[in-house]
Amino acid sequence: MPSLAQESAKPATELPPISVTTTSQAKAGPKKKKAAPAVSSPAPVAPPAATASQSDPSAIPAPGTRSGSLTVPTAAEAKADIQLAPGGVDLVPSSAYAKSTPATTIKDALDYVPGVFVQPKWGEDSRVSIRGSGLSRNFHLRGLQLYMDGIPINTADGYGDFQEIDPSVYRYIEVYKGGNALRFGANSMGGAINFVMPTGYDSDLFGARIDVGSFGFHKLSVSSGGVSGAADYFIAGTWLEQDGFRDHSDGESVRGVMNVGYRLTENVETRFYLNANNVDQRIPGSVTRDAALNDPKTAAPNNVNHNWQRNIDTVRIANKTTMRIDPGTMLELGVFNVDRHLMHPIFQWLDYRYDDYGGFARITNESRIGGFANRLIAGVNLHYGEIDTKQYDNVGGQKGLLRANSDDEAGNVSAYFENHFYVMPDVALVGGVQFLHATRDRKDFFLSDGDGSGSTEFNLWSPKAGIAWDVDRAWQVFGNVSRSAEVPSFGESVSGPPFLGLPTIPFTDIRAQRATTYEIGTRGSRPNYTWDVAAYRAEIDNELMCFYSAFGNCNVSNADKTIHQGLELGFGVAVLQSMFADGPTPDKLWLNTAYTLNDFQFDNDATFGNNELPGAPRHFLRAELLYKHPSGVYVGPNVEWVPEAYYVDSANTLETAAYAIWGAKIGFDNGGPISAYIEGRNLSDEAYIASASIIDRANPNSTLFEPGTGRAIYGGVQVKW
């Protein structure tokens, strides 16, 4: 990176001891606290270029001081690190969403990240796609890897649930698009999202918030953090209850997170993590297009009659240890275990118990080679999982007769390295490669319907090459070519009643999805505007898509060739300033936009020709015009616009409907102990389709559509000290 390239090779001197205080203490005045251990640190990193996912450049904390933690970097440090990638990445600090929204779903957090398309469904669940990933996955998560502080949320075979995430408790969120998720060894086309918790060094001694809103929404959160000698801690808990906009969509959740760090020596820190979730959620289900637009509150009758639900209990424990070997070398080691129980009455009563475990190691070295700056990252990720799979008849929401019983085992071993070599002080050539060894093994114990046992193995190489030019300290131009791989899960297969004429394609015959992606872009900031622009084209072999259907279900197999290409544009600008308040911190009228162009299609497919791929709009725009006063008062409208309907079937016979919805918010946040907001959503009360499942061939009676929430008002108050 440029700052390293311009520094001399002389090692940085040891910094003096620093006294660490919580954020609220810093605001209120100094209080005595034990000094954190002295930290020997490399030369300061250059200020990162802010991107348009934030409402203005000041949303990212100023660089130059460490948080006091070795294991968890500050938002500024993480921003500088993530933007070394010569491709689509972003970092969203909690200050961009947590105090001005209910901060309940991933849509609240990532609404202004271009290229990330979040479709709300019901409760806290969403359908998320990055650059067209996971379009064939109508339920749960596919095509995207989720992490909490680098610890996997997904199961080893690729599934995941956004219901386990509470966006309000994280300090920042890292988004790696496509092959730019190399460091996580991500087995997905969409990339990775990493949710990072605060530590005791950057949290408040006590914090609490209460949020209420339409449709019986109530949320209560409490948190605490602090430092004592070489130890620090952060703990948070959230209770949420809501009736839901639609019939049969009520839910309740209790979540807790905690991390405890201990500085063993000046250059070694270990941190323990605990995350637990109890989620009970009813599922209203997909309905026809006509019902979604004309009777949006109505649930699917079958969902009500059989009491469809998705209930999840999770306990996740982990440890991460970071060692500074010398001023330019950092080693990270970690282990994790996740116990998850899915209780899921749907077409059958699914009773799945997951046991996921693994570890990771990562080394970062910054040095000089022949007088040129060089940065090397290398690592290995291990992720194994076992699923005790049982399915029963669903009798009015109760277990009936056993209908399926198997043990599913998945394993992933990935190794990677990425190197930045600075041929000029501001130009880096980037090269890297990832190797993935993945196995899937099923032992079927329920043989009356046939033996579904089988195993499969994948060995996949994914190279990457790119260039990053730092035009100045806050302006970067980049380009890259990358390969990515996505291994099918146990759910990718084709089967159905023989009288429907469906072929039988077991999961062992589904091939890995492979993509070659070409990408160029630029990002940067100036005092009164920011930008983040990327254009890409992904040429995909064996994309996991819907080719057969039974009773309206998507049966996934491999397409031949498909193309995903598009434009991601994020832009923020101070339209006006110094209207009512002048001086060094004037008031501003800030426009924040995120526009995504999706151009996804089959490529001379034998069945669907050059049809559009279903499941994502061609154009998606999110924009907000927010007035900010230096006193902390803010107010302004926002809009979400899908100007063209998109197809929900590969045959391109049935579409959603175009829509534009608008909202507004008003609030107060001056960085002090109290902040508050009121937010209105869909204030015109428009009936629209927020999310859609996909299929191979649809008809007007296909139940594929999730209605959007009607007019809603939310409000919240937060206190801290």
Side-chain angles (χ1 to χ4, degrees):
M1 69 188 294
S3 61
L4 177 63
Q6 293 164 1
E7 298 288 345
S8 68
K10 181 181 177 181
T13 59
E14 183 175 297
L15 296 176
I18 57 175
S19 179
V20 179
T21 60
T22 64
T23 303
S24 59
Q25 290 168 338
K27 296 287 183 182
K31 291 185 179 181
K32 291 185 178 180
K33 179 170 280 193
K34 290 186 179 180
V39 179
S40 179
S41 173
V45 175
T51 63
S53 66
Q54 289 78 52
S55 57
D56 66 51
S58 63
I60 291 292
T65 59
R66 296 196 62 85
S67 68
S69 171
L70 282 176
T71 50
V72 183
T74 65
E77 292 162 349
K79 187 78 171 180
D81 184 66
I82 195 174
Q83 291 198 331
L84 292 174
V89 294
D90 211 332
L91 185 143
V92 183
S94 60
S95 58
Y97 65 88
K99 294 183 179 181
S100 59
T101 74
T104 302
T105 69
I106 193 171
K107 181 174 174 63
D108 293 333
L110 301 182
D111 239 0
Y112 291 94
V113 180
V116 179
F117 179 49
V118 184
Q119 298 171 290
K121 296 178 70 174
W122 31 260
E124 296 146 280
D125 194 34
S126 301
R127 190 167 184 258
V128 180
S129 176
I130 296 181
R131 297 182 173 179
S133 65
L135 293 178
S136 64
R137 178 56 62 209
N138 293 338
F139 46 85
H140 298 284
L141 169 71
R142 194 70 180 96
L144 187 63
Q145 297 291 305
L146 301 181
Y147 297 85
M148 294 182 182
D149 290 277
I151 304 157
I153 298 175
N154 301 64
T155 62
D157 78 321
Y159 274 122
D161 279 297
F162 289 107
Q163 291 169 278
E164 298 184 41
I165 297 169
D166 177 6
S168 67
V169 303
Y170 298 102
R171 177 63 68 215
Y172 57 85
I173 304 171
E174 298 173 319
V175 180
Y176 300 82
K177 303 173 189 177
N180 298 299
L182 183 76
R183 63 164 286 194
F184 287 106
N187 169 30
S188 65
M189 187 181 75
I193 302 176
N194 186 33
F195 300 84
V196 180
M197 262 192 280
T199 67
Y201 293 103
D202 58 359
S203 59
D204 301 300
L205 182 61
F206 178 80
R209 66 179 289 172
I210 183 168
D211 301 83
V212 297
S214 302
F215 316 117
F217 177 85
H218 310 279
K219 180 180 177 183
L220 175 65
S221 303
V222 293
S223 64
S224 177
V227 180
S228 177
D232 73 279
Y233 77 94
F234 172 77
I235 185 169
T238 301
W239 168 75
L240 186 151
E241 184 179 47
Q242 54 188 326
D243 297 331
F245 169 69
R246 299 177 62 194
D247 298 338
H248 199 74
S249 64
D250 56 300
E252 183 178 8
S253 62
V254 179
R255 299 183 177 84
V257 297
M258 180 175 69
N259 69 78
V260 177
Y262 189 81
R263 185 68 68 88
L264 297 169
T265 71
E266 176 184 333
N267 293 311
V268 180
E269 181 179 274
T270 189
R271 188 168 299 276
F272 294 89
Y273 293 90
L274 174 64
N275 170 266
N277 306 278
N278 173 256
V279 180
D280 296 326
Q281 176 67 55
R282 285 182 169 84
I283 304 175
S286 301
V287 295
T288 65
R289 183 180 186 275
D290 180 71
L293 295 175
N294 296 298
D295 194 7
K297 288 191 174 184
T298 302
N302 193 49
N303 289 47
V304 177
N305 295 336
H306 294 280
N307 198 14
W308 284 32
Q309 304 171 47
R310 186 190 294 170
N311 306 321
I312 303 170
D313 291 338
T314 309
V315 176
R316 179 180 287 102
I317 58 174
N319 173 265
K320 179 180 177 182
T321 300
T322 301
M323 294 172 277
R324 180 181 285 114
I325 298 173
D326 59 48
T329 306
M330 194 85 79
L331 175 65
E332 298 171 280
L333 303 171
V335 294
F336 63 89
N337 178 248
V338 183
D339 179 81
R340 178 189 288 107
H341 187 194
L342 173 66
M343 297 150 284
H344 198 12
I346 46 174
F347 73 99
Q348 292 182 339
W349 211 109
L350 277 57
D351 189 347
Y352 291 2
R353 292 184 179 273
Y354 301 82
D355 182 22
D356 281 78
Y357 54 93
F360 54 90
R362 178 174 182 253
I363 189 167
T364 303
N365 175 261
E366 296 181 345
S367 61
R368 305 189 76 84
I369 298 176
F372 295 92
N374 192 77
R375 188 174 193 263
L376 172 68
I377 302 173
V380 61
N381 299 297
L382 310 176
H383 189 180
Y384 299 95
E386 301 173 3
I387 312 172
D388 178 8
T389 302
K390 290 183 173 65
Q391 296 181 192
Y392 303 83
D393 285 334
N394 180 4
V395 184
Q398 302 297 318
K399 287 183 180 178
L401 295 176
L402 182 68
R403 294 301 182 185
N405 182 11
S406 67
D407 282 348
D408 299 339
E409 297 182 0
N412 306 286
V413 179
S414 63
Y416 64 93
F417 83 87
E418 185 175 79
N419 193 79
H420 291 68
F421 183 74
Y422 286 86
V423 294
M424 298 176 63
D426 54 6
V427 178
L429 301 181
V430 183
V433 68
Q434 176 196 129
F435 172 73
L436 173 65
H437 172 73
T439 58
R440 305 288 184 264
D441 181 78
R442 167 170 288 167
K443 296 180 177 65
D444 189 354
F445 302 120
F446 189 85
L447 304 179
S448 61
D449 61 350
D451 189 354
S453 301
S455 61
T456 186
E457 178 178 321
F458 303 89
N459 293 286
L460 303 166
W461 291 90
S462 299
K464 175 182 179 179
I467 185 170
W469 173 31
D470 292 287
V471 182
D472 59 37
R473 292 170 63 87
W475 175 12
Q476 186 181 66
V477 177
F478 58 82
N480 75 79
V481 180
S482 64
R483 288 278 282 170
S484 60
E486 184 169 332
V487 174
S489 72
F490 291 109
E492 270 72 58
S493 62
V494 178
S495 62
F499 67 85
L500 291 178
L502 268 68
T504 298
I505 306 176
F507 78 92
T508 52
D509 289 348
I510 304 296
R511 299 182 296 277
Q513 176 177 292
R514 301 285 277 148
T516 301
T517 303
Y518 308 88
E519 180 180 6
I520 58 172
T522 178
R523 52 182 166 243
S525 68
R526 292 296 184 263
N528 288 312
Y529 60 94
T530 68
W531 70 93
D532 184 359
V533 182
Y536 71 94
R537 176 184 172 92
E539 299 173 352
I540 305 170
D541 295 320
N542 304 319
E543 181 169 2
L544 301 169
M545 284 297 299
C546 295
F547 271 83
Y548 309 95
S549 59
F551 306 118
N553 295 324
C554 171
N555 282 241
V556 177
S557 58
N558 296 111
D560 183 15
K561 294 182 180 297
T562 54
I563 295 172
H564 290 212
Q565 57 190 4
L567 175 66
E568 300 161 354
L569 172 62
F571 189 74
V573 60
V575 179
L576 296 171
Q577 63 178 344
S578 300
M579 295 170 286
F580 306 106
D582 210 339
T585 56
D587 61 343
K588 292 183 179 182
L589 184 63
W590 190 270
L591 174 65
N592 191 32
T593 62
Y595 166 75
T596 301
L597 168 66
N598 298 314
D599 182 10
F600 308 149
Q601 62 187 46
F602 291 96
D603 187 10
N604 294 318
D605 185 79
T607 304
F608 297 116
N610 293 318
N611 280 4
E612 293 181 22
L613 297 183
R618 184 172 181 84
H619 306 280
F620 181 75
L621 175 70
R622 194 78 167 96
E624 178 179 63
L625 187 63
L626 200 65
Y627 172 77
K628 297 181 177 183
H629 192 273
S631 66
V633 173
Y634 58 86
V635 61
N638 57 73
V639 65
E640 178 176 312
W641 186 28
V642 175
E644 295 179 11
Y646 57 92
Y647 290 111
V648 296
D649 64 335
S650 298
N652 289 180
T653 61
L654 184 64
E655 294 180 311
T656 62
Y659 71 86
I661 57 175
W662 68 279
K665 65 176 65 171
I666 183 171
F668 170 79
D669 179 17
N670 66 352
I674 299 177
S675 61
Y677 76 93
I678 298 175
E679 182 183 20
R681 299 183 176 182
N682 191 10
L683 292 176
S684 59
D685 201 23
E686 178 175 349
Y688 71 103
I689 293 169
S691 176
S693 301
I694 72 166
I695 203 170
D696 58 335
R697 290 177 173 84
N699 62 64
N701 294 319
S702 296
T703 53
L704 300 170
F705 304 91
E706 302 274 356
T709 300
R711 183 188 296 116
I713 306 295
Y714 300 93
V717 177
Q718 302 177 57
V719 297
K720 63 182 182 180
W721 59 81

